[in-house]
Amino acid sequence: MNQDRLSTAEEQQKFMREAIRLSLENVQSGKGGPFAAIVVKNNKILARGTNQVTYTNDPTAHAEIGAIRDACKALGTFQLDGCELYTSCEPCPMCLGAIYWARPERVFFGNSKQDAAEIDFDDSFIYEEITKSLENRKIPMIQILHQEALAAFHAWNLKKDKVKY
């Protein structure tokens, strides 16, 4: 049985207020968009992240990604078992994928994706692109050297000491 302690409603509000505070601080600092996230385990903040896209010229430098990376580093694992993620806004498709890979217990968010769209952070086109066939996507997705690429998959499949994730 999982021995990790999940937050109460009062604690959830406290942690969300911290994510909101960080998002406001990030806007004021000029280091990125109005987004922040924290990872909590057993009522303690393990990691904080803020949007750093324009500051670092890294399109993957979203708040959730930074918080997940730092939390995993602090825990010494690639999964966030027993953790909660608090983010100032409903995660974009990239962050949503990272969240599912990290497997926290639950995610809390403040603003909705509709709220984000109203201030020109509209990810709806990505959600739409994901559902399209490869040939109908805006950015061409072209498979080449499939048989050669399979070599790594075959090697992985035969590997006896692999760590599954």
Side-chain angles (χ1 to χ4, degrees):
M1 186 172 137
N2 191 347
Q3 297 295 329
D4 298 317
R5 181 183 166 295
L6 297 179
S7 62
T8 64
E10 186 177 311
E11 292 164 342
Q12 292 161 13
Q13 291 180 13
K14 176 183 79 169
F15 293 129
M16 182 54 71
R17 284 187 179 105
E18 174 63 5
I20 293 167
R21 184 192 69 75
L22 288 170
S23 69
L24 283 165
E25 185 179 275
N26 204 52
V27 170
Q28 293 162 350
S29 75
K31 291 185 176 179
F35 307 101
I38 62 172
V39 175
V40 173
K41 184 168 186 168
N42 294 324
N43 205 30
K44 291 186 178 18
I45 297 175
L46 288 179
R48 292 170 171 85
T50 57
N51 180 282
Q52 303 281 302
V53 170
T54 57
Y55 184 70
T56 61
N57 292 320
D58 178 354
T60 68
H62 287 205
E64 296 92 337
I65 301 294
I68 289 168
R69 285 177 179 160
D70 289 350
C72 287
K73 187 181 289 186
L75 292 170
T77 182
F78 52 83
Q79 289 186 215
L80 296 177
D81 296 331
C83 294
E84 298 169 316
L85 177 73
Y86 293 81
T87 179
S88 62
C89 186
E90 187 174 355
C92 74
M94 176 182 68
C95 293
L96 188 60
I99 289 165
Y100 273 93
W101 281 115
R103 296 177 179 91
E105 295 296 319
R106 51 191 182 176
V107 176
F108 299 90
F109 65 92
N111 294 309
S112 69
K113 61 185 175 185
Q114 292 82 11
D115 295 327
E118 288 175 15
I119 61 164
D120 294 328
F121 288 97
D122 188 0
D123 299 324
S124 61
F125 78 97
I126 299 173
Y127 288 106
E128 291 167 10
E129 284 288 300
I130 291 169
T131 65
K132 292 180 180 178
S133 62
L134 294 177
E135 60 274 1
N136 290 323
R137 291 186 180 169
K138 249 185 183 156
I139 298 174
M141 303 281 166
I142 305 158
Q143 185 177 28
I144 63 172
L145 298 178
H146 181 223
Q147 289 303 310
E148 290 180 40
L150 281 174
F153 281 19
H154 291 308
W156 174 259
N157 201 33
L158 296 172
K159 188 172 175 58
K160 300 289 185 219
D161 61 344
K162 64 185 161 210
V163 177
K164 292 185 177 184
Y165 57 98

